[in-house]
Amino acid sequence: MFVFYFDHIKVATMRKDVRILLVGEPKVGKTSLIMSLVSEEFPDEVPLRAEEITIPADVTPERVPTHIVDYSGTDTCTSLYDETHMACIAVLMSMPQASPKVLIPLLLNVLILLSCHRVPLILVGNKSDLVEHSSMETILPIMNQYSEIETCVECSAKNLKNISELFYYAQKAVLHPTGPLYSPEDKEMKPSCIKALTRIFKISDLDNDGILNDNELNFFQRTCFNIPLAPQALEDVKNVVRKNMSDGVKDNGLTLKGFLFLHTLFIQRGRHETTWTVLRRFGYDDDLELTQEYLFPLLKIPPDCTTELNHNAYLFLQSVFDKHDKDRDCALSPDELKDLFKVFPYMPWGPDVNNTVCTNEQGWITYQGYLSQWTLTTYLDVQRCLEYLGYLGYSIIQEQESQTAAVTITRNKRIDLQKKQTQRSVFLCNVLGARGSGKSGFLQAFLGRNLARQKRIREDHMSYYAMSTTYVYGQEKYLLLHEVLPDFEFLSEADLACDVVCLVYDISNPRSFEYCAKVYKKHLLDSKTPCVIIAAKSDLHEARQYYSLSPLDFCRKHKLHPPQMFTCNTDEAPSKDICTKLTTMAMYPSSFGFQLSWSCHMILTLPVCVCFCSHAKLRCMCSCNRCTYCICHNLLNSELVRSVKAKLYSAVLNRHMTQADLKNSTFWLRASVGATVFAVLGFAVYKALLKHR
């Protein structure tokens, strides 16, 4: 004999209490039954109707408060319809000698009321002490005829027969109902139950080989029941399956058919609580639907903060990818992707996803693209990400309270600006430009697709987003490009709320740059968001723009970088250098002083050390010869400073310093004074050069 160990204390029941309604003809013993349960003896005097009683949770087997209501037809305060609306289960009581002709009309009347509220029913034959024979032979055919009837019980309030059992069955029928799980007529589990248990099996099959091995079975047992199975108990389970079906056990592991057979056996033997415990642990409610609390746990996000996946979440997603990438080509084929999403009630990723993230030459989503799509979903719609992680069983596999453990809420962006550093890993770049300027081509080029590959993309499969990784000073960061629709008059704050803005114009179209200039002057002129102008289609002949200023002069006037030349009409994958620059600007917005609302002279009056440190990180991008860094850099590289530096080094290195000199405070005083004088002279030269410019 086998058993799954079951701990009632840790059952994840979906109801907080149970309300039992006793109905029946007058004088069948409803009130006597309640009073015998409470006092544990048959009452000498029975009132017309017992008051509602509540049994505390700590004295019930299922640890749930239970309310028992005695309904009387003479009660004018509440109708039977109202009572059935509030009840969790009804108990229809009759005399044991009642014939089917008397019982069935009463039963039908009650079932009509109960069907409106989907309340289960238990048939009870009371006063069994008055008859010598059992009435179960009469009741069982009626029970089999009506699926709403959970069970039948004979009891006696006078002899205290089966009273506790009756209310235990009633409580059990509410907390662990048979109806959603099993069809007595067909003698098999219902399709909705099979579907739910199949999802549970796939989640528990950690290596996706179609078999639950001993380790996976033990993990499943510990997850659901908090107690591991002993080795002998595992063998007993598998032996029972082997005796009843040929394909239930394979390679000493439990197959899906064997897993479903076990739960069918539990239900047939009256162990509904075992199956219900498993279902509720994996997030299902009484209708075998995943609960809202499971799929959408509460997550509060403060203003100006973003959401990202943390390290443990990426490890989990990596394990999910690995277990479905059966050919180990670091890409998910359509069949592999379909298999991955079998635990979802719908296909979450449409064909546009393949044009949002990186794919291989066959158009299959790569490992990098797979993680990028999850990162994008977390950034743009964290609630949807929590839902998806719930379908994959993140909280169960990772043994967390909910999917919120997978999400990191970043620091407020204003604090990042104040501290001039950020711990964020995902940055948003809004791409704006006139129609036909090359925005979509720029997005697809970020995913490594040249013009030839882009022409093969169907127009209805295009995406307004592109997400991939870039490397900034050795750190991997995610850059999300978002193509904003070119309706100049209808640009909202949401369209401009980002970490960096990219204005794209077509160099071959003489009217293309005008849109960029108008957007910048209306929305970005006083913004602290870094901005870059991209001259797209640079492989074509450059036309003179019909604007008062040329793009280069416009950038000079507004202290912007010169227009960045870009084309996706290449033989190989287009360069990602511009995207790396965009990510760098998003990471260090305060370092790009020439693009902030501060005026240029404020930047130039910053302390040398501050400006030098910030520009030292970005010297690969700065060649303006106007900022503090460039002036200092040119000064340090001048012949005058080099000759002075060489003479100082020579004087210090050629001087013979003894240990006494090193310990002498006078020596260090002289050295510090000399260094100070040198610093003051250097600053004076810098100010003179600055005044001259």
Side-chain angles (χ1 to χ4, degrees), residues 6 25 130 160 164 238 276 396 482 494:
F6 183 73
E25 293 290 322
L130 299 180
L160 305 181
S164 298
K238 288 183 278 191
W276 273 116
I396 292 128
H482 175 213

Side-chain angles (χ1 to χ4, degrees), residues 309-319 367 371 375 426 478:
L309 293 171
N310 57 34
H311 179 65
N312 290 332
Y314 280 117
L315 290 179
F316 170 76
L317 293 173
Q318 178 183 349
S319 67
Y367 173 69
L371 293 183
T375 305
V426 185
Y478 283 94

